[in-house]
Amino acid sequence: MSPLPTSVNTLCLYGKFLSRSFKSVASIQNYISGVKTLHLLLGVEFPTEDWFSIKLLFRGLSRQNHHMPRRALPITPQILFQMYEFLDMSNPSDVTIWCCFLFAFFLMVRKSNLVPTSAKNFDPHKQLCRKNVIVFSDYLLVRMEWSKTIQFGNRKLELPLVKIKESPLCPYNAYNRMCTLIPADGDKPAFLIPQSKGYKTLCYSFFQKRLRDILEMCGLNSSKFSSHSFRRGGATWAFHSKVPSELIQFHGDWRSDAYKVYLEFDLQDKLSISRAMADEILN
C-alpha cells in the first residue's frame, strides 16, 4: 500500500495522535501543513475534497485542549532603569550590552537583526554593522536591509533613534560611548565585546545570559523574560505614548496587525475605558 496520497481520514487520525503530545492546535496545524507540502513537492494530489472535516477536527481539538500561549513579559522603561543600576558604564562589555538592550527596545527589533547565534554565523547582510548606524547631530539613523519580513531585499528599513537628554536610557549616547570605547571599521559587527586579544562579536548566548543575570539582580524572575521582551515592551510603551498604530506597525516591521497581541494593558488603561463610557452616559 502506497503511503501517498494520504486520505482525509488518515489526516484526522494523525491530528488526533499529535494532540496527545501537543497542547497547541497551531502546532498540529503546522504538522498537517507539512504533509500537504510534501504532497506538492512530490507532485502528488493532496486530498481537499473533504477539508471541512479537517477544520472540524481543529475546532474540536481547540475545545478539548485549552491552551494559552506563554508570552515573555514586556521590559518597560522602569525595568530598564533598574537594569542600568547594575551595569558599569566604564566597562566596555557592559556598555555594549546596554547599547544593545536600548536598540532592542527603541527599535522593537528582532534579535536576528542585532546579534548572531555565533561569531561564525555573523552575516553583515542580516545583523547590524557599524556602517548601518549613521550618527547625526541629534539622532541615529539605523538601516536594515534584511529582516523576517524582508527576505529578498525588496525594501530597506530606516529607523531613527533620537537623543534623550540627560537620561541613562538614551540610545544615542549609549551608541557613541560604545564606539568610543570599542572603535571598529564600518563592516564590523555593530556590537563587540572585549576579550584577551582584541574584541569579539556579541552573540545571542552572551546577550541572553547577561539579560537573565541582570534581571535576577533586579529581583525579577528572569525565566518570564526573553530577548523578545524588548520588542514587546517597546511596542507597549509606544502605544502608551499615544503613537498611532500604523506607525508602531511600521517601526516594528510587522507585516500585519499581529503586533497587537504584544501590547500590555495595565489596570489604568482598562479603567480609562470604563470611565470614558461612564462619562458619556452622564453627558
Side-chain angles (χ1 to χ4, degrees):
M1 182 179 68
S2 174
L4 298 177
T6 189
S7 66
V8 170
N9 183 56
T10 300
L11 288 172
C12 288
L13 291 172
Y14 181 50
K16 182 61 178 175
F17 170 77
L18 291 173
S19 70
R20 301 191 305 177
S21 304
F22 293 108
K23 293 182 179 180
S24 172
V25 173
S27 298
I28 299 173
Q29 290 174 325
N30 287 337
Y31 271 73
I32 290 181
S33 177
V35 175
K36 181 178 180 180
T37 301
L38 177 63
H39 279 68
L40 295 175
L41 290 173
L42 296 177
V44 179
E45 185 176 357
F46 186 73
T48 57
E49 73 281 356
D50 191 22
W51 194 249
F52 181 66
S53 298
I54 299 292
K55 291 183 178 180
L56 288 179
L57 169 70
F58 293 150
R59 187 177 300 178
L61 292 177
S62 296
R63 291 180 182 275
Q64 176 182 307
N65 300 338
H66 295 172
H67 175 65
M68 181 179 292
R70 181 179 176 273
R71 295 191 178 95
L73 293 178
I75 286 179
T76 64
Q78 291 75 19
I79 292 176
L80 285 171
F81 277 117
Q82 287 180 266
M83 295 168 69
Y84 179 78
E85 295 300 319
F86 293 96
L87 292 168
D88 178 3
M89 289 299 107
S90 64
N91 183 322
S93 180
D94 279 5
V95 170
T96 293
I97 203 71
W98 180 240
C99 182
C100 197
F101 286 170
L102 294 180
F103 270 49
F105 178 82
F106 286 105
L107 293 175
M108 307 176 208
V109 71
R110 300 173 182 89
K111 68 176 185 293
S112 56
N113 280 112
L114 292 177
V115 293
T117 54
S118 66
K120 68 178 182 180
N121 288 330
F122 173 76
D123 187 338
H125 298 293
K126 293 183 178 182
Q127 286 86 43
L128 287 179
C129 296
R130 289 287 173 93
K131 65 182 178 184
N132 297 126
V133 184
I134 303 171
V135 181
F136 291 92
S137 60
D138 58 350
Y139 70 94
L140 305 173
L141 186 63
V142 183
R143 291 176 173 171
M144 288 173 277
E145 300 179 356
W146 177 94
S147 76
K148 183 179 177 181
T149 63
I150 310 174
Q151 297 283 334
F152 307 108
N154 50 308
R155 61 186 175 91
K156 294 181 180 180
L157 189 63
E158 295 187 341
L159 301 175
L161 290 174
V162 300
K163 273 186 180 179
I164 308 175
K165 293 183 179 179
E166 300 179 0
S167 171
L169 269 56
C170 177
Y172 183 94
N173 290 337
Y175 180 77
N176 283 324
R177 185 172 186 81
M178 180 185 71
C179 291
T180 299
L181 293 176
I182 309 176
D185 295 333
D187 59 349
K188 297 296 182 182
F191 304 103
L192 297 166
I193 54 177
Q195 58 180 357
S196 55
K197 294 183 179 180
Y199 302 98
K200 64 179 181 179
T201 304
L202 173 63
C203 298
Y204 179 68
S205 58
F206 185 82
F207 175 95
Q208 185 76 344
K209 183 180 185 305
R210 289 293 286 141
L211 173 61
R212 293 191 183 280
D213 289 345
I214 297 168
L215 287 171
E216 291 291 340
M217 293 177 192
C218 294
L220 299 170
N221 184 351
S222 63
S223 66
K224 294 185 177 181
F225 297 85
S226 72
S227 60
H228 209 72
S229 296
F230 292 104
R231 183 165 165 81
R232 185 180 182 191
T236 298
W237 184 247
F239 175 77
H240 288 322
S241 303
K242 311 301 181 185
V243 177
S245 59
E246 62 272 17
L247 288 181
I248 297 176
Q249 181 177 338
F250 168 79
H251 192 88
D253 192 35
W254 278 282
R255 183 174 292 172
S256 66
D257 61 358
Y259 75 92
K260 292 178 180 177
V261 302
Y262 297 121
L263 301 181
E264 186 79 5
F265 295 86
D266 58 26
L267 181 58
Q268 292 305 313
D269 291 322
K270 297 171 184 176
L271 282 172
S272 67
I273 298 171
S274 183
R275 286 169 178 157
M277 295 172 70
D279 291 341
E280 190 64 25
I281 290 175
L282 293 175
N283 292 334

